[in-house]
Amino acid sequence: MYSSKITGLGSYVPDRVVTNEELSTLMETSDEWIQERTGIKERRWVDEGSGDTSATMGAKAAKIAIERAGLTKDDIDFIIFATLSPDMYFPGCGVQVQDILEMPTVGALDVRNQCSGFVYSMSIADQFIKTGMYKNILVIGSEYHSGGLDLTTRGRSVSVIFGDGAGAAVLSRSEDTTKGILSTHLHSEGKHAKELTVEGPSIAHWVPEILEENDPNDTSYYPYMNGTFVFKHAVLRFSQAIIEGLKTNNLEASDIGMLIPHQANLRISQFVQKKFGLNDDQVFNNIQKYGNTTAASIPIALTEAWEKGKIKDDDIVVLAAFGSGFTWGSVIIKW
Ligand code: ACO
């Protein structure tokens, strides 16, 4: 049995900074409301004409991660791509990255688990590496939200939250089983699927129906979120996921070197921080700058924390996510 180690991290966000003030010119909202409820000050949106998409941003982040791992694209055995905003209905973004980076004909898998997508992807990669099937796996989380948001007052409770960007990690085989990914745990509760969803386009809301309807009041293409309901479940499931991961490894909250929670809402992160009695150096948040980038939020935050030297050798690093599905989970790493 092998262990999987993160050997490279990378991120990419579009240059265009969208402040809360700018949003308040598009819809009835305010910097004060957004900051007070979510902690977000600004987010990045893809600039029109830049060519950025979920796949291209993912490829940019991946390139950095591969280089930092000291590898080349030809060393990667498998690609896992997590997104809720794929460029195409099908095929998935994983094969696009394979093409963009001119990689060999390795397998590519897309993961559709929204905010938990990166945690799910890490878990899948970990299983493939531990069993010896693959040596180096590229895991990407990338989102192009801004193209699909309702930027009117009708959509404000969702649209102010989301941002665009990508993060990537290379997981590599290691013989030292005392370090690397110690455990992953995954959960879902599909009975709450409709509380946070985009219903169309889908097979259930297929194209002729969309064209026929052409109804300006049809909001099925825009994200719907029952915010308060989601919030309550998020704080519970984040906590459970962390406790489960720590317990499995006989660890206490005080052993956490760095917690990287999915950046859903600063208030959720602060609640979790307080619940576990963690100090500011034990939790990393950057939602203030990027908003909620869904599957990209953990790899962007992990990359930034690592770049800032906040993660040190032998640290216990906890990744925890909760999101649409509902889905949630954790990854416990000894760095
Ligand atoms: N600007 C100004 N006012 C607003 C805005 C806005 N952008 N959005 C909503 N409001 C108004 C509402 O209309 C409402 O007004 P009313 O009281 O007159 O009806 C009032 O503000 C309060 O609205 P709530 O929705 O109750 O606000 P809440 O405090 O719940 O905050 C939020 C909303 C930020 C969305 C919060 O519920 C939240 O963070 N939820 C969890 C998000 C999350 O964790 N998502 C999971 C990951 S995402 C994924 O998986 C894709």
Side-chain angles (χ1 to χ4, degrees), residues 20 31-43 160-162 225 231 234-235 238 259-275 279-280 283-293 297 301:
N20 294 341
D31 178 46
E32 195 193 357
W33 191 96
I34 300 170
Q35 281 210 51
E36 194 186 303
R37 305 283 174 132
T38 70
I40 300 165
K41 295 183 176 160
E42 57 191 40
R43 74 285 293 139
V160 300
I161 297 172
F162 292 107
M225 177 164 71
F231 193 101
V235 290
F238 261 110
L259 167 65
I260 314 262
H262 159 55
Q263 303 291 291
N265 183 325
L266 192 60
R267 284 162 58 208
I268 295 175
S269 296
Q270 286 166 341
F271 178 93
V272 171
Q273 176 175 347
K274 203 167 161 206
K275 184 179 162 75
N279 61 47
D280 289 348
V283 186
F284 191 79
N285 289 301
N286 61 6
I287 190 170
Q288 301 91 328
K289 291 191 292 180
Y290 304 123
N292 177 348
T293 56
S297 97

Side-chain angles (χ1 to χ4, degrees), residues 27-30 33-34 37-38 84 113-116 145 153 155-162 196-197 223 225-232 234-235 238 262-268 292 294 322-327:
M27 60 189 85
E28 283 173 38
T29 190
S30 65
W33 191 96
I34 300 170
R37 305 283 174 132
T38 70
L84 67 67
N113 282 65
Q114 300 67 250
C115 295
S116 309
H145 283 305
T153 298
R156 66 183 176 176
S157 62
V158 172
S159 301
V160 300
I161 297 172
F162 292 107
L196 178 45
T197 182
M225 177 164 71
N226 182 348
T228 316
F229 188 83
V230 174
F231 193 101
K232 282 184 193 154
V235 290
F238 261 110
H262 159 55
Q263 303 291 291
N265 183 325
L266 192 60
R267 284 162 58 208
I268 295 175
N292 177 348
T294 312
F322 172 85
S324 162
F326 293 152
T327 55

Side-chain angles (χ1 to χ4, degrees), residues 33 60 104 149 213 215 252 274:
W33 191 96
K60 286 176 185 171
L149 299 173
E213 279 174 3
D215 173 4
E252 305 284 332
K274 203 167 161 206

Side-chain angles (χ1 to χ4, degrees), residues 70-232:
L71 300 173
T72 74
K73 61 179 174 64
D74 299 329
D75 298 315
I76 301 296
D77 304 311
F78 195 62
I79 303 162
I80 306 178
F81 198 119
T83 187
L84 67 67
S85 49
D87 296 18
M88 291 181 264
Y89 187 78
F90 72 78
C93 291
V95 295
Q96 288 179 268
V97 167
Q98 184 267 339
D99 180 42
I100 295 166
L101 297 184
E102 299 180 340
M103 297 168 80
T105 54
V106 296
L109 172 73
D110 270 46
V111 168
R112 297 285 310 274
N113 282 65
Q114 300 67 250
C115 295
S116 309
F118 190 76
V119 162
Y120 267 73
S121 301
M122 291 286 274
S123 179
I124 296 164
D126 184 40
Q127 313 312 315
F128 277 135
I129 287 176
K130 276 193 174 134
T131 54
M133 181 152 174
Y134 295 126
K135 229 173 169 180
N136 298 301
I137 300 184
L138 174 62
V139 182
I140 302 168
S142 181
E143 303 287 0
Y144 179 2
H145 283 305
S146 61
L149 299 173
D150 180 355
L151 298 178
T152 68
T153 298
R154 182 180 62 184
R156 66 183 176 176
S157 62
V158 172
S159 301
V160 300
I161 297 172
F162 292 107
D164 302 335
V170 174
L171 251 72
S172 301
R173 181 192 290 178
S174 164
E175 308 269 337
D176 178 3
T177 52
T178 63
K179 288 174 82 164
I181 294 186
L182 301 180
S183 69
T184 62
H185 289 93
L186 308 175
H187 295 278
S188 67
E189 195 173 29
K191 71 177 177 191
H192 300 311
K194 294 230 158 150
E195 305 300 339
L196 178 45
T197 182
V198 177
E199 289 195 350
S202 64
I203 299 300
H205 290 74
W206 205 227
V207 176
E209 197 185 316
I210 293 167
L211 293 177
E212 226 171 82
E213 279 174 3
N214 198 18
D215 173 4
N217 298 317
D218 182 2
T219 55
S220 67
Y221 326 111
Y222 292 126
Y224 164 77
M225 177 164 71
N226 182 348
T228 316
F229 188 83
V230 174
F231 193 101
K232 282 184 193 154

